Amino acid sequence: MNTTTVGVDLAKNVFVACVADGAGRVIETREFNRAG
């Protein structure tokens, strides 16, 4: 199965990456905190 990153939301302390399949259905959303 091929996946494509379709969006990254950058903010001051947290950013979010979303992964979708070829049909555009969101497979995974991950939230990352900035250290420091």
Side-chain angles (χ1 to χ4, degrees):
M1 173 167 61
N2 294 331
T3 57
T4 303
T5 301
V6 294
V8 177
D9 180 14
L10 300 174
K12 285 186 178 180
N13 297 317
V14 175
F15 65 96
V16 179
C18 297
V19 179
D21 64 9
R25 294 181 296 250
V26 175
I27 295 173
E28 185 174 358
T29 301
R30 286 199 180 187
E31 186 175 298
F32 299 92
N33 293 317
R34 294 180 189 239

